[in-house]
């Protein structure tokens, strides 16, 4: 039976731990220049309805490094952009490719694609979740701290897809998560309710310094995500004071790490000094998208 990677809450901690363990192995092999033909002859179909730099490049390069290939399908260049039903696209692509990655707006669309596809489907970002990025974040923390499980995490900013994904991760792995958002920008209530039912250790506040106090990992994202550009100016006003900067680092743990999924609006959600500073691991984090996604692909396709 096929597996899909749509949302962290659908996986168990041991299953995700196994992906992180495989990530470390694949990264070490890559750095040593060892061949990794785990997916020789395999093809990944990539449906992208949202623009991308890191996600597209990391998936394409990852398939190449594993001995396979990736085919990029933008909405403008495929029939799905002209209104072909997702269920038809899913069934046709399943006869051509070995896995599908989709980057789109609605999580419902991803779920529908997965329900009709007979090959594994990977959520490469929706408005609800960004599970591949979250796995890269945890792997980065593990590299720097030795473990991701005994850290206190702090999310500052919008209650967006990344905030939802951190909440899911807190429920699966059991670590403490503090979320600081302006009033009216809280994460999805249903995501919170589901996580609480699973025993997640969550704190919600409208005070970013309260959330950051003593935290081991600080994390943020742009205040206006793709599709919210028309709200940019209002959000700049509403998110005043929610920047990760020297003051935020000053109340966090002395060796706190700073994460950002990129792209960053420097001077808005994060200061230039912090993102360029010694506690920032954002570029290691970006690199690790490649290795994590290789591990996800290998696991879903039964190659490791």
């Amino acid at each position: 039976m096929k597996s899909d990677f749509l949302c962290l809450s659908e996986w168990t901690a041991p299953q995700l731990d196994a992906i992180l363990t495989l990530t470390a192995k694949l990264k070490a092999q890559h750095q040593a220049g060892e061949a990794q033909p785990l997916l020789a002859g395999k093809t990944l179909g990539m449906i992208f309805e949202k623009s991308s730099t890191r996600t597209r490049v990391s998936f394409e390069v990852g398939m190449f490094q594993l001995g396979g290939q990736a085919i990029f399908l933008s909405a403008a260049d495929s029939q799905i952009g002209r209104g072909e039903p997702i269920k038809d696209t899913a069934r046709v692509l399943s006869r051509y490719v070995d896995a599908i990655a989709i980057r789109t707006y609605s999580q419902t669309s991803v779920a529908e694609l997965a329900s009709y596809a007979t090959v594994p489907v990977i959520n490469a970002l929706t408005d609800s979740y960004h599970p591949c990025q979250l796995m890269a974040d945890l792997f980065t923390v593990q590299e720097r701290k030795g473990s991701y499980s005994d850290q206190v995490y702090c999310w500052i900013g919008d209650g967006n897809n990344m905030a939802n994904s951190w909440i899911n991760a807190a429920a699966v792995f059991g670590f403490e998560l503090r979320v600081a958002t302006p009033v009216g920008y809280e994460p999805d209530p249903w995501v919170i309710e589901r996580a609480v039912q699973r025993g997640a250790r969550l704190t919600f506040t409208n005070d970013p310094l309260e959330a950051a106090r003593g935290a081991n990992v600080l994390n943020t994202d742009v205040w206006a995500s793709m599709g919210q550009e028309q709200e940019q100016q209002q959000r700049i006003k509403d998110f005043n004071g929610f920047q990760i900067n020297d003051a935020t680092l000053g109340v966090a743990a002395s060796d706190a790490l700073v994460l950002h999924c990129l792209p960053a609006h420097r001077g808005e959600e994060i200061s230039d000094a912090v993102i360029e500073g010694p506690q920032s691991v954002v570029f290691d984090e970006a690199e690790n998208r490649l290795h994590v996604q290789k591990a996800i692909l290998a696991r879903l396709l039964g190659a490791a």
Side-chain angles (χ1 to χ4, degrees):
M1 182 177 179
K2 77 170 179 116
S3 295
D4 303 303
F5 197 75
L6 310 184
C7 178
L8 293 180
S9 63
E10 298 171 352
W11 289 66
T12 66
Q15 289 172 328
L16 295 175
D17 271 330
I19 290 176
L20 294 175
T21 298
L22 180 58
T23 298
K25 177 181 177 181
L26 292 177
K27 184 173 182 178
Q29 289 176 340
H30 173 71
Q31 292 175 333
E34 298 177 17
Q36 301 174 308
L38 294 176
L39 298 183
K42 302 292 186 181
T43 301
L44 173 68
M46 298 168 52
I47 302 171
F48 277 46
E49 294 186 296
K50 284 192 171 189
S51 59
S52 170
T53 298
R54 280 151 292 277
T55 300
R56 176 179 177 178
V57 174
S58 56
F59 269 117
E60 289 193 10
V61 172
M63 282 298 295
F64 175 78
Q65 290 181 357
L66 292 175
Q69 66 174 341
I71 298 176
F72 179 76
L73 300 167
S74 71
D77 299 327
S78 62
Q79 294 299 331
I80 198 169
R82 298 179 62 243
E84 180 176 52
I86 290 175
K87 60 185 179 181
D88 292 356
T89 297
R91 287 179 285 196
V92 170
L93 285 183
S94 294
R95 299 185 182 213
Y96 295 151
V97 304
D98 300 285
I100 302 170
I102 179 169
R103 183 179 176 92
T104 188
Y105 294 89
S106 169
Q107 186 73 15
T108 302
S109 296
V110 175
E112 182 180 2
L113 181 74
S115 70
Y116 283 95
T118 56
V119 298
V121 172
I122 298 172
N123 176 4
L125 178 143
T126 65
D127 288 346
S128 298
Y129 308 115
H130 198 357
C132 293
Q133 178 66 59
L134 201 287
M135 290 292 284
D137 293 354
L138 291 179
F139 182 72
T140 305
V141 174
Q142 179 175 283
E143 281 189 312
R144 290 300 187 103
K145 298 280 192 181
S147 170
Y148 62 81
S149 61
D150 55 354
Q151 312 299 321
V152 176
Y153 294 84
C154 171
W155 175 265
I156 296 175
D158 189 22
N160 61 10
N161 52 4
M162 282 302 302
N164 289 339
S165 294
W166 275 108
I167 292 169
N168 285 338
V172 172
F173 293 108
F175 54 69
E176 180 181 351
L177 173 66
R178 306 168 186 168
V179 178
T181 65
V183 175
Y185 292 95
E186 294 82 3
D188 188 327
W190 182 79
V191 174
I192 296 172
E193 179 182 357
R194 180 179 60 189
V196 169
Q197 289 174 351
R198 294 182 65 171
R201 293 187 290 159
L202 305 172
T203 301
F204 296 93
T205 179
N206 304 122
D207 184 345
L209 293 183
E210 176 186 349
R213 188 162 286 110
N216 306 111
V217 182
L218 304 177
N219 199 353
T220 189
D221 192 8
V222 294
W223 293 337
S225 299
M226 285 179 284
Q228 299 173 332
E229 290 81 4
Q230 73 280 2
E231 304 173 22
Q232 178 74 23
Q233 294 308 310
Q234 183 60 50
R235 283 173 172 258
I236 288 175
K237 296 177 182 177
D238 293 344
F239 282 81
N240 182 40
F242 281 80
Q243 181 186 91
I244 293 183
N245 50 32
D246 289 339
T248 322
L249 282 180
V251 301
S254 60
D255 60 347
L257 300 178
V258 176
L259 301 174
H260 193 304
C261 60
L262 299 180
H265 289 176
R266 298 176 184 228
E268 292 184 13
E269 75 276 1
I270 191 167
S271 69
D272 190 75
V274 167
I275 202 170
E276 294 289 353
Q279 291 170 260
S280 168
V281 291
V282 299
F283 296 107
D284 291 343
E285 179 187 3
E287 176 192 349
N288 285 333
R289 289 288 303 280
L290 169 66
H291 307 295
V292 160
Q293 286 160 192
K294 287 164 64 176
I296 292 170
L297 285 162
R299 186 52 52 90
L300 291 182
L301 290 173

